mmCIF file of all heavy atoms in Angstrom:
data_model
loop_
_atom_site.group_PDB
_atom_site.id
_atom_site.type_symbol
_atom_site.label_atom_id
_atom_site.label_comp_id
_atom_site.label_asym_id
_atom_site.label_seq_id
_atom_site.Cartn_x
_atom_site.Cartn_y
_atom_site.Cartn_z
ATOM 1 N N GLU A 80 6.224 119.294 -50.895
ATOM 2 C CA GLU A 80 6.879 120.537 -51.323
ATOM 3 C C GLU A 80 6.096 121.790 -51.015
ATOM 4 O O GLU A 80 5.851 122.696 -51.831
ATOM 5 C CB GLU A 80 7.276 120.518 -52.805
ATOM 6 C CG GLU A 80 8.204 119.385 -53.192
ATOM 7 C CD GLU A 80 8.626 119.369 -54.590
ATOM 8 O OE1 GLU A 80 7.861 120.004 -55.436
ATOM 9 O OE2 GLU A 80 9.646 118.720 -54.937
ATOM 10 N N TYR A 81 5.558 121.842 -49.786
ATOM 11 C CA TYR A 81 4.779 123.055 -49.359
ATOM 12 C C TYR A 81 5.783 124.271 -49.260
ATOM 13 O O TYR A 81 6.937 124.075 -48.975
ATOM 14 C CB TYR A 81 4.185 122.830 -48.005
ATOM 15 C CG TYR A 81 3.084 121.732 -47.885
ATOM 16 C CD1 TYR A 81 3.419 120.536 -47.351
ATOM 17 C CD2 TYR A 81 1.839 121.999 -48.446
ATOM 18 C CE1 TYR A 81 2.453 119.550 -47.270
ATOM 19 C CE2 TYR A 81 0.852 121.041 -48.474
ATOM 20 C CZ TYR A 81 1.206 119.799 -47.824
ATOM 21 O OH TYR A 81 0.210 118.826 -47.824
ATOM 22 N N GLU A 82 5.241 125.414 -49.538
ATOM 23 C CA GLU A 82 6.074 126.643 -49.463
ATOM 24 C C GLU A 82 5.887 127.273 -48.052
ATOM 25 O O GLU A 82 6.906 127.764 -47.467
ATOM 26 C CB GLU A 82 5.657 127.647 -50.434
ATOM 27 C CG GLU A 82 6.518 128.876 -50.474
ATOM 28 C CD GLU A 82 6.195 129.835 -51.654
ATOM 29 O OE1 GLU A 82 5.303 129.562 -52.408
ATOM 30 O OE2 GLU A 82 6.872 130.922 -51.737
ATOM 31 N N VAL A 83 4.737 127.269 -47.483
ATOM 32 C CA VAL A 83 4.474 127.969 -46.197
ATOM 33 C C VAL A 83 3.742 126.985 -45.271
ATOM 34 O O VAL A 83 2.954 126.146 -45.749
ATOM 35 C CB VAL A 83 3.588 129.217 -46.400
ATOM 36 C CG1 VAL A 83 3.125 129.773 -45.063
ATOM 37 C CG2 VAL A 83 4.334 130.256 -47.210
ATOM 38 N N ILE A 84 4.157 127.057 -43.970
ATOM 39 C CA ILE A 84 3.475 126.202 -43.006
ATOM 40 C C ILE A 84 3.104 127.072 -41.812
ATOM 41 O O ILE A 84 3.804 127.941 -41.363
ATOM 42 C CB ILE A 84 4.385 124.999 -42.538
ATOM 43 C CG1 ILE A 84 3.621 124.109 -41.565
ATOM 44 C CG2 ILE A 84 5.643 125.565 -41.908
ATOM 45 C CD1 ILE A 84 4.310 122.824 -41.395
ATOM 46 N N GLY A 85 1.857 126.725 -41.237
ATOM 47 C CA GLY A 85 1.480 127.361 -39.986
ATOM 48 C C GLY A 85 1.681 126.365 -38.901
ATOM 49 O O GLY A 85 1.256 125.150 -39.092
ATOM 50 N N HIS A 86 2.134 126.752 -37.755
ATOM 51 C CA HIS A 86 2.411 125.842 -36.589
ATOM 52 C C HIS A 86 1.584 126.335 -35.446
ATOM 53 O O HIS A 86 1.788 127.432 -34.996
ATOM 54 C CB HIS A 86 3.893 125.817 -36.311
ATOM 55 C CG HIS A 86 4.244 125.075 -35.028
ATOM 56 N ND1 HIS A 86 3.932 123.725 -34.882
ATOM 57 C CD2 HIS A 86 4.684 125.512 -33.877
ATOM 58 C CE1 HIS A 86 4.263 123.357 -33.619
ATOM 59 N NE2 HIS A 86 4.762 124.424 -32.977
ATOM 60 N N PHE A 87 0.733 125.522 -34.958
ATOM 61 C CA PHE A 87 -0.179 125.821 -33.831
ATOM 62 C C PHE A 87 -0.239 124.673 -32.839
ATOM 63 O O PHE A 87 0.003 123.474 -33.220
ATOM 64 C CB PHE A 87 -1.591 126.109 -34.353
ATOM 65 C CG PHE A 87 -1.595 127.109 -35.522
ATOM 66 C CD1 PHE A 87 -1.711 126.712 -36.784
ATOM 67 C CD2 PHE A 87 -1.501 128.469 -35.240
ATOM 68 C CE1 PHE A 87 -1.736 127.562 -37.859
ATOM 69 C CE2 PHE A 87 -1.454 129.412 -36.300
ATOM 70 C CZ PHE A 87 -1.595 128.971 -37.580
ATOM 71 N N HIS A 88 -0.607 124.968 -31.637
ATOM 72 C CA HIS A 88 -0.780 123.844 -30.664
ATOM 73 C C HIS A 88 -1.724 124.280 -29.565
ATOM 74 O O HIS A 88 -2.017 125.388 -29.324
ATOM 75 C CB HIS A 88 0.628 123.449 -30.078
ATOM 76 C CG HIS A 88 1.357 124.533 -29.430
ATOM 77 N ND1 HIS A 88 1.391 124.759 -28.005
ATOM 78 C CD2 HIS A 88 2.077 125.586 -29.895
ATOM 79 C CE1 HIS A 88 2.141 125.828 -27.713
ATOM 80 N NE2 HIS A 88 2.601 126.370 -28.866
ATOM 81 N N SER A 89 -2.252 123.264 -28.935
ATOM 82 C CA SER A 89 -3.380 123.423 -27.950
ATOM 83 C C SER A 89 -2.832 123.858 -26.641
ATOM 84 O O SER A 89 -2.891 123.196 -25.576
ATOM 85 C CB SER A 89 -4.188 122.200 -27.838
ATOM 86 O OG SER A 89 -3.342 121.013 -27.492
ATOM 87 N N LYS A 90 -2.237 125.039 -26.590
ATOM 88 C CA LYS A 90 -1.538 125.596 -25.414
ATOM 89 C C LYS A 90 -2.520 125.845 -24.281
ATOM 90 O O LYS A 90 -3.557 126.484 -24.466
ATOM 91 C CB LYS A 90 -0.858 126.887 -25.777
ATOM 92 C CG LYS A 90 0.016 127.449 -24.682
ATOM 93 C CD LYS A 90 0.824 128.611 -25.160
ATOM 94 C CE LYS A 90 1.794 129.043 -24.110
ATOM 95 N NZ LYS A 90 2.829 127.967 -23.745
ATOM 96 N N LYS A 91 -2.236 125.386 -23.065
ATOM 97 C CA LYS A 91 -3.036 125.673 -21.924
ATOM 98 C C LYS A 91 -2.177 126.213 -20.754
ATOM 99 O O LYS A 91 -2.741 126.961 -19.921
ATOM 100 C CB LYS A 91 -3.747 124.389 -21.414
ATOM 101 C CG LYS A 91 -4.996 124.076 -22.243
ATOM 102 C CD LYS A 91 -5.886 123.059 -21.479
ATOM 103 C CE LYS A 91 -7.196 122.802 -22.172
ATOM 104 N NZ LYS A 91 -7.991 121.827 -21.413
ATOM 105 N N SER A 92 -0.944 125.904 -20.645
ATOM 106 C CA SER A 92 -0.100 126.357 -19.555
ATOM 107 C C SER A 92 -0.721 126.092 -18.214
ATOM 108 O O SER A 92 -0.987 126.952 -17.428
ATOM 109 C CB SER A 92 0.205 127.888 -19.717
ATOM 110 O OG SER A 92 0.956 128.113 -20.914
ATOM 111 N N ILE A 93 -1.103 124.780 -18.024
ATOM 112 C CA ILE A 93 -1.807 124.479 -16.745
ATOM 113 C C ILE A 93 -0.996 124.628 -15.538
ATOM 114 O O ILE A 93 -1.558 124.616 -14.375
ATOM 115 C CB ILE A 93 -2.431 123.095 -16.873
ATOM 116 C CG1 ILE A 93 -1.295 121.988 -17.022
ATOM 117 C CG2 ILE A 93 -3.412 122.933 -17.974
ATOM 118 C CD1 ILE A 93 -1.712 120.593 -17.032
#
Side-chain angles (χ1 to χ4, degrees):
E80 298 183 343
Y81 296 107
E82 184 174 359
V83 171
I84 186 166
H86 171 63
F87 310 99
H88 57 101
S89 54
K90 187 173 187 62
K91 279 194 175 184
S92 299
I93 58 175

